[in-house]
Amino acid sequence: MTGEHRHIGRPVPPRHHERLVRGGGRFLADLRAADVLHAAFVRSPLAHAAVAGFDATAARRDPRCALVLGPDDLAGRTAAIPTVWRLPGQPQESIPVAVHTARYAGQPLGIVVARTPTAALDLAEAVRLDLAPLPPVPTVADALAEHAPPVVPGAAGNEAGRIRFGSPAEEIAAALARAAVVVEREFTLPRVHHSPLEPRGVLAAYEAGTGLLTVHASSQSPHAMRQDLCAVLGLRADQVRVIAPDVGGSFGSKVFLYPDEAMVCAAAVALGGAVRWVESRAENFTGAYQGRAQQATARLAVSGEGRFLAFDADLLADLGAYATQAGAGPHQVTALTLQGPYHADAAAATVRGVYTTRVPTGAYRGYGMQEAAFIRERLVDEAARELGLSPVELRLRNLIRPQDLPHTTHTGLTYDSGDYGAVLRRAAALAERPPPPDDPPWVRRATAVVAAVEISAFAPTALLEAFGIAWSGWEGVRLRINHDGTVTVHSGVIAVGQGIETSLAQIAAEGLGVPLDWVRVELGDTDTAPHSDLSAQASRALTLAGGALVIAARQLAGRMRALAAGFLKAEPEQVTLRIAATADPSSPEAAFHGAGGARITWRETAHRGYRGWGRAHRTDRIRLEESVDFDPPQLTFAHGAHAAEVAVDLGTGRVEVTGYWAVHDSGVLVNPLIAHGQITGGIAQGLGQALTEEARVDGAGLPVTRSFREYTLPAAQDIPEDLVIEHLCTPSTVIPGGFKGLGEGGAILPPAAVACAVAAAVPEIAHTLTSLPLTPSRVRAALRAAGIT
Ligand code: SMO
């Protein structure tokens, strides 16, 4: 609009920062509620057992007890939670809330509601469970062993189903046959915890008089939660309102309704009152869904000239005891993105979902793309070693070039725009530096560069339909100029600490040509937000809600101008809008100007519009509100290259990341500060998975990692001081505004970058670097086996 109000691209401090830092956050535990009761769960202490008895007599007799619901009570009050993305042949189509067989340690079997949180915990302990133990099936190998105990009825051999994506088998076979080099390796990406700062939590209040259930939840997808709650509790959509207050991180662990969350809501309905549950960290470690959990046998075929002939993988997905609502979704995305940013004559992957007696797995930041990048980039590295080529050179030879775009991969993904070579070369150049002169002889140091694409704008509804996902992919926004000229944005995406409210405000302010502080962004309430099935996940919020907002702001700016032109008795093109940066909407410094010094302030225009005074003029519609739904024509692909420098201590096996350089193309950046924060956070999480994180159980299937004592997250001192992030920008060709995603990008590449750098530092153990995390003990074992230490 006017040149004074360029907001897109400005590093505006995110709106939530100061409020949260000053303690002004309103997280689930902070919400006030009258007469609220407190919930605790009776959880299975065993990994696998028939629940023969659930005796709550003592608990119910206690005066502090308000309600106990055991498996039989829940069976009468709840239906199962529906799934939305199933594997072909998957026998289990929903997740029961009422269970009579425990299939993982920590599984909720019943709920106790009492006057205080402590009383609820006491009374939950007073419930006497009669469990008949069944054999645990803690690993995929156990599950696939001959005569393995069945986990899920109807799942032959504990297989949930399988699916194959990509080139026909004959093409893969032919490529393997004509290859000069075929590298095949086995990979393990262990289960990991999301570890959000704020664990899960629900505050559910039911009013018997009105029949309304209001649920506050630490959720990243309130509309999805409402749909699931309706299905589980048999309520109508107009009876259920879900609100996400401040959410302290989610990373994929708060996408779906969990059985324990459903129980809290069922208890509120049963009591006709308010019930709160705030998850403890220990419960989060055992009861929240986990990420990754993939094993792969994968191969890369390369010609003598170093041309990629085929990528091929057999992926085993540890689904845990139930296929969650998206089931093997992340693993399917691994299969879809295995080819990454490279040309290849053929590419394919098969996914087999496997049930084990562990907590279910699901979405985690990067959603299968981190796994794909690790497998692919390690294979490329190993092939380079066998061919005697530099790994960077081999990558550059095969990267898809800008002139090849748009390019459709063997799995049917169409990359829209980017310069993969420029990004890789830039990362390599940034990482180039002489080794420090003072490295002791027991330290080996090296650098590696790796590359990946990041699916964003997930997803065109037609694509979801093609994948059999029972969801819509579009995102809607409602943009309103209020009667006083201020601006309100409603969207179904939500803020989980990623700063989306600031980015959307910038897009609206720029589109309307107004100062940023006139714009308020309202998110997270199903009563007021446009419907959104997918909300804040899959690097999609900015591309889809932002894209919709670009369109809405353009339309509304035009309407406002036409309205002002009517009042000024001029044609819209003859009218100019001038707003001083610090003006408020009623200031003469914020006005439309016509001919001969005529002007009308922004506020007066809105005010008259609301009164209908413009109706006599050329504008036939003067509602100062726009609702736009945006369903993208195709996915858009962000991409990036990361370089890691590591120092490997040959004595202890410790890997230190001494330098890290990330170059991303996330299209048009709305807010570089937010982009920097997102990429930094993603890298930190990815480094944790590279070096320390693994959710473990013992032989009986009982969780060993139950706190941050046993489960090590990277701390500030583990993040290299030399962390450099740069952006090269190729605007998306499919998203209005040219935006691409960046929420997951930072997390996709660190494990690949670190493992490839360790391989470069200690080539003698390169072939073993296929399992994460690269803990000192694992690296030292490899060093010892290679006779180095
Ligand atoms: S793994 Mo995400 O929250 O799409």
Side-chain angles (χ1 to χ4, degrees), residues 712-759:
T712 317
L713 290 182
Q717 70 266 22
D718 301 315
I719 308 303
E721 268 173 57
D722 287 322
L723 174 61
V724 177
I725 296 166
E726 283 194 6
H727 290 272
L728 299 183
C729 164
T730 324
S732 169
T733 54
V734 290
I735 301 301
F739 319 131
K740 296 175 183 173
L742 51 74
E744 297 171 291
I748 290 173
L749 281 169
V754 170
C756 289
V758 174

Side-chain angles (χ1 to χ4, degrees), residues 194 220 250-253 255 362-367 536-539 744:
H194 301 70
Q220 68 189 94
S250 50
F251 310 116
S253 71
V255 175
Y364 182 24
R365 193 178 198 173
Y367 204 88
Q537 49 175 314
S539 305
E744 297 171 291

Side-chain angles (χ1 to χ4, degrees), residues 296-322:
T297 304
R299 47 205 80 80
L300 167 61
V302 190
S303 76
E305 307 82 60
R307 217 166 50 74
F308 295 164
L309 302 178
F311 288 98
D312 182 44
D314 297 302
L315 309 175
L316 280 177
D318 173 3
L319 301 177
Y322 301 89

Side-chain angles (χ1 to χ4, degrees), residues 143-220:
L144 296 178
E146 237 183 296
H147 310 300
V151 179
V152 171
N158 290 316
E159 183 170 309
R162 64 173 77 188
I163 191 166
R164 184 185 158 85
F165 296 97
S167 311
E170 315 83 72
E171 283 184 26
I172 297 289
L176 292 172
R178 67 175 181 275
V181 166
V182 176
V183 186
E184 179 173 305
R185 297 284 182 273
E186 314 251 320
F187 296 89
T188 304
L189 292 118
R191 283 171 170 257
V192 292
H193 298 286
H194 301 70
S195 310
L197 267 177
E198 182 203 23
R200 298 178 294 142
V202 176
L203 169 59
Y206 185 73
E207 276 183 16
T210 58
L212 295 181
L213 175 67
T214 304
V215 178
H216 287 81
S218 186
S219 161
Q220 68 189 94

